[in-house]
């Protein structure tokens, strides 16, 4: 059996966690599996890299700030090496590599400080250091346990993307060829590849990143290229659950679910899987399993193609707490058809992800929800676009204080009364609904509330559909 095992940030958060991950890998090898490992940066490191890069544009005493940051990063990664690896020569090799990487990072940050310029390309270069620093430690720990292993960047493993920095998409034909060539040759030599998640490179060789949380996607891309038997996502909870356990503590593991259900949940905010992860797995019909490194004997969740018939109509509730609602009001009848098209073309051009849409039957309004972080950019672009065409629109307003909630389950298809149950449960709690949409796949019903009321709504729905049982 050949599998991809992906470890998230918490699962490689310190030396002890890294050693634990290495043991899970070597146990799979001992059972006869051929394994490719994909790993994230140590927890919080990507956030810290983003933050320091941005500070280089504005902060005072930037050079001291860089020095302090590099020292802290060095301490944390050095400590992890000491805690995860016993063998002196392996330790030394990795510490040397770390020093080189940290020097490279320090120079890059100083460059940004002097130039006072931070392009999406340089930001990707800076954020790539999180995984580039963590992955060699994990490879060293695996090696220390007696399994030959080699650390590779996503680019070295063969992930070639477009040049959409910050949200790059793999060019699958090229990637497939390269990933196969690089990883099959390691398999032949009985060397286990340990690959950085999150990062690839464009065709010019510039470092790119796949989007925040994108290490899951890296694992699925590699899995699909190699046609593995399973993609195993190791995280910090017992699989995909009926709701984020940080929101609803009674949430339970969902033992089996379909690709479509997982996709909908991820898309509507279940951070446990990065939304794009399912697509390559589904195309190659590879099962995805999600398990907990803190509780590895728990079965977790298995995500597969089609489900045997299930009794449960609703499987899970998801929540995007940081959303925004944009309303384009007073669209004149003359302008309507072209305006709707122009609105969505503009958003697509700006690479803004529209979470859900609703249009009143009078066609005088269009409302849609976007990620909270993208709302200003969206409104700016739309104001510019719609002002160009004369007086077709009265105004564009937006509300950043909203959340999107989705109720997901394949059993909803063709089951009457689910929507009524959803909205009466929420109404009973006095939750005000700002917008409603139902996916055409009928696997979800989603709606918008205020941020303050969203957790109350999620809890009420979790209870209503008895998901804690
Ligand atoms: P990793 O670093 O392993 O990729 P993430 O933090 O990206 O982990 O994702 C795991 C987190 O996702 C969990 O700690 C949990 O709080 C959150 N989460 C959100 N929705 C769900 C859900 N439906 N099931 C499980 N976890 C969820
Ligand atoms: N380290 C990256 C991030 O924090 C990718 C990941 O963890 O999946 O976004
Ligand atoms: Mg994640």
């Amino acid at each position: 059996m050949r599998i991809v095992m992906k470890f998230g940030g918490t699962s490689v958060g310190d030396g002890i966690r890294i050693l634990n991950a290495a043991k899970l890998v070597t146990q799979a090898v001992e059972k006869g599996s051929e394994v490719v490992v994909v790993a994230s940066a140590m927890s919080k490191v990507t956030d810290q890299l983003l933050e320091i890069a941005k500070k280089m544009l504005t902060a005072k005493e930037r050079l001291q700030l860089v020095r302090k940051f590099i020292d802290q990063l060095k301490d944390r990664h050095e400590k992890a090496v000491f805690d995860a690896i016993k063998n002196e020569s392996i330790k030394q090799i990795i510490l040397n590599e770390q020093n080189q990487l940290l020097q490279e990072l320090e120079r890059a940050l100083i460059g940004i400080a002097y130039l006072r310029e931070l392009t999406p390309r340089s930001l990707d270069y800076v954020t790539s250091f999180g995984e580039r620093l963590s992955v060699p430690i994990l490879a060293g720990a695996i090696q220390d346990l007696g399994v030959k292993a080699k650390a590779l960047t996503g680019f070295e493993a063969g992930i070639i993307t477009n040049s959409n920095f910050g949200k790059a998409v793999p060019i699958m034909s090229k990637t497939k060829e390269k990933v196969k060539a690089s990883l099959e040759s390691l398999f032949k030599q009985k060397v286990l590849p340990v690959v950085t998640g999150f990062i690839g490179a464009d065709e010019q060789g510039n470092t790119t990143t796949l989007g925040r949380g994108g290490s899951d996607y890296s694992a699925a891309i590699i899995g699909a290229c190699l046609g593995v038997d399973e993609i195993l996502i190791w995280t910090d909870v017992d699989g995909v659950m009926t709701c984020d356990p940080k929101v609803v503590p009674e949430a339970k593991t969902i033992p089996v679910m379909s690709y479509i259900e997982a996709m909908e949940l991820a898309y509507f905010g279940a951070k446990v899987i990065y939304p794009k992860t399912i697509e390559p797995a589904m195309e190659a019909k590879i099962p995805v399993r999600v398990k907990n490194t803190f509780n590895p004997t728990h079965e977790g969740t298995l995500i597969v193609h089609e489900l045997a018939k299930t009794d449960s109509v609703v499987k899970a509730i998801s929540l995007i707490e940081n959303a925004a609602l944009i309303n384009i009001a007073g669209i004149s009848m003359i302008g309507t058809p072209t305006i709707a098209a122009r609105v969505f073309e503009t958003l697509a051009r700006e690479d803004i992800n529209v979470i859900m849409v609703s249009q009143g039957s009078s066609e005088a309004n269009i409302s849609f929800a976007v990620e909270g972080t993208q709302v200003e950019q969206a409104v700016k672009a739309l104001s510019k676009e719609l002002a160009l065409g004369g007086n077709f629109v009265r105004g564009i307003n937006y509300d950043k204080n909203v959340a999107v909630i989705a109720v997901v389950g394949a059993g909803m298809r063709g089951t009457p009364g689910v929507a009524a149950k959803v909205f009466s449960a929420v109404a009973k709690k006095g939750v005000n609904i700002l917008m409603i949409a139902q996916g055409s796949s009928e696997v979800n019903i989603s709606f918008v509330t205020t941020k303050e009321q969203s957790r109350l709504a999620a809890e009420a729905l979790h209870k209503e559909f008895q998901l804690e049982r």
Side-chain angles (χ1 to χ4, degrees):
M1 178 148 143
R2 195 179 264 188
I3 55 179
V4 177
M5 282 184 156
K6 177 261 168 178
F7 294 92
T10 320
S11 301
V12 294
D14 60 32
I16 306 296
R17 300 307 309 151
I18 292 178
L19 180 56
N20 179 67
K23 284 180 182 160
L24 292 169
V25 172
T26 55
Q27 280 160 14
V29 172
E30 277 156 23
K31 283 189 190 142
S33 291
E34 251 178 342
V35 183
V36 181
V37 172
V38 173
S40 294
M42 295 175 79
S43 48
K44 303 275 185 314
V45 169
T46 312
D47 291 334
Q48 292 162 357
L49 288 164
L50 278 166
E51 194 191 355
I52 188 86
K54 286 178 184 158
K55 275 192 184 154
M56 289 303 98
L57 298 178
T58 52
K60 292 197 185 96
E61 304 188 331
R62 284 162 295 159
L63 299 188
Q64 286 93 311
L65 215 62
V66 170
R67 192 64 259 160
K68 196 170 146 211
F69 174 77
I70 295 287
D71 284 344
Q72 281 168 352
L73 207 60
K74 184 175 167 152
D75 284 350
R76 182 165 175 204
H77 287 83
E78 264 182 16
K79 183 166 184 335
V81 171
F82 285 109
D83 290 342
I85 303 167
K86 286 201 193 77
N87 181 295
E88 282 305 325
S89 66
I90 300 178
K91 247 189 234 176
Q92 218 40 62
I93 292 170
I94 292 165
L95 290 173
N96 288 343
E97 248 176 63
Q98 257 176 21
N99 278 333
Q100 271 175 21
L101 282 167
L102 289 164
Q103 268 178 30
E104 208 182 299
L105 173 61
E106 185 170 9
R107 286 193 203 115
L109 291 170
I110 293 172
I112 295 166
Y114 276 119
L115 295 171
R116 289 190 186 256
E117 184 185 66
L118 181 59
T119 60
R121 186 166 98 179
S122 34
L123 196 58
D124 272 9
Y125 177 67
V126 169
T127 49
S128 75
F129 280 88
E131 274 74 5
R132 288 166 70 193
L133 283 164
S134 66
V135 155
I137 313 176
L138 179 55
I142 294 170
Q143 183 104 7
D144 200 23
L145 295 174
V147 173
K148 262 199 265 172
K150 182 174 167 41
L152 303 169
T153 64
F155 176 54
E156 288 164 341
I159 297 181
I160 307 294
T161 70
N162 62 11
S163 304
N164 191 2
F165 297 101
K167 241 189 201 171
V169 175
I171 303 169
M172 274 315 259
S173 53
K174 294 201 167 111
T175 298
K176 194 164 189 173
E177 206 179 293
K178 286 197 183 286
V179 166
K180 267 188 165 165
S182 68
L183 301 190
E184 293 287 0
S185 105
L186 288 176
F187 281 136
K188 275 207 193 91
Q189 302 163 51
K190 298 256 178 264
V191 174
L192 187 152
V194 187
V195 184
T196 59
F198 185 52
I199 60 187
D202 68 6
E203 292 183 273
Q204 287 72 47
N206 299 303
T207 301
T208 54
T209 65
L210 305 178
R212 292 305 309 276
S215 291
D216 300 337
Y217 191 27
S218 307
I221 294 165
I222 291 174
C225 291
L226 295 175
V228 297
D229 299 292
E230 184 171 284
I231 296 161
L232 176 47
I233 309 281
W234 284 103
T235 184
D236 57 4
V237 286
D238 290 336
V240 181
M241 307 182 78
T242 50
C243 191
D244 185 343
K246 289 178 190 125
V247 175
V248 176
E250 298 79 36
K252 285 257 157 7
T253 299
I254 302 167
V256 193
M257 66 197 308
S258 67
Y259 289 129
I260 302 293
E261 288 171 321
M263 244 186 212
E264 295 278 348
L265 263 187
Y267 180 78
F268 282 103
K271 191 183 163 215
V272 63
I273 350 174
Y274 182 73
K276 287 182 190 163
T277 308
I278 301 296
E279 206 181 290
M282 185 159 91
E283 245 164 54
K285 294 201 173 63
I286 301 170
V288 178
R289 196 182 285 276
V290 182
K291 282 177 67 103
N292 188 355
T293 55
F294 292 86
N295 189 13
T297 51
H298 192 290
E299 282 296 306
T301 299
L302 183 63
I303 304 168
V304 288
H305 193 61
E306 269 306 325
L307 281 191
K309 220 170 156 42
T310 136
D311 304 334
S312 64
V313 174
V314 166
K315 259 201 197 119
I317 314 295
S318 68
L319 187 61
I320 302 175
E321 284 184 289
N322 181 25
L325 196 57
I326 300 179
N327 185 40
I328 302 179
I331 299 171
S332 109
M333 291 307 257
I334 319 159
T336 306
T338 51
I339 283 187
R342 275 163 60 193
V343 164
F344 294 108
E345 267 164 29
T346 305
L347 295 169
R349 199 167 54 234
E350 295 281 322
D351 207 12
I352 287 163
N353 178 26
V354 179
I355 303 168
M356 55 198 275
V357 185
S358 115
Q359 182 165 24
S361 59
S362 70
E363 294 184 20
N365 286 305
I366 305 175
S367 305
F368 50 89
V370 298
E371 298 280 345
T373 51
Q374 294 192 306
V375 65
E376 277 93 5
Q377 186 195 349
V379 170
K380 195 169 156 207
L382 287 169
S383 305
K384 195 168 160 209
E385 168 69 27
L386 298 177
L388 288 177
N391 269 338
F392 292 135
V393 167
R394 201 174 60 226
I396 303 176
N397 50 52
Y398 68 93
D399 183 353
K400 273 188 88 164
N401 186 35
V402 304
V404 176
I405 295 181
V407 178
V408 175
M412 279 160 53
R413 203 180 277 152
T415 308
V418 182
K421 227 172 149 185
V422 167
F423 295 115
S424 74
V426 191
K428 265 188 235 151
K429 295 283 174 189
V431 172
N432 193 18
I433 291 170
L434 306 172
M435 176 179 156
I436 299 176
Q438 177 165 28
S440 58
S441 62
E442 288 184 57
V443 176
N444 80 75
I445 295 174
S446 50
F447 60 92
V448 176
T449 67
T450 61
K451 214 167 273 180
E452 291 77 43
Q453 290 189 310
S454 62
R455 289 192 173 213
L456 185 65
E459 279 162 20
L461 290 167
H462 201 269
K463 271 219 180 73
E464 177 71 27
F465 290 99
Q466 302 187 331
L467 298 179
E468 72 286 355
R469 291 202 180 165

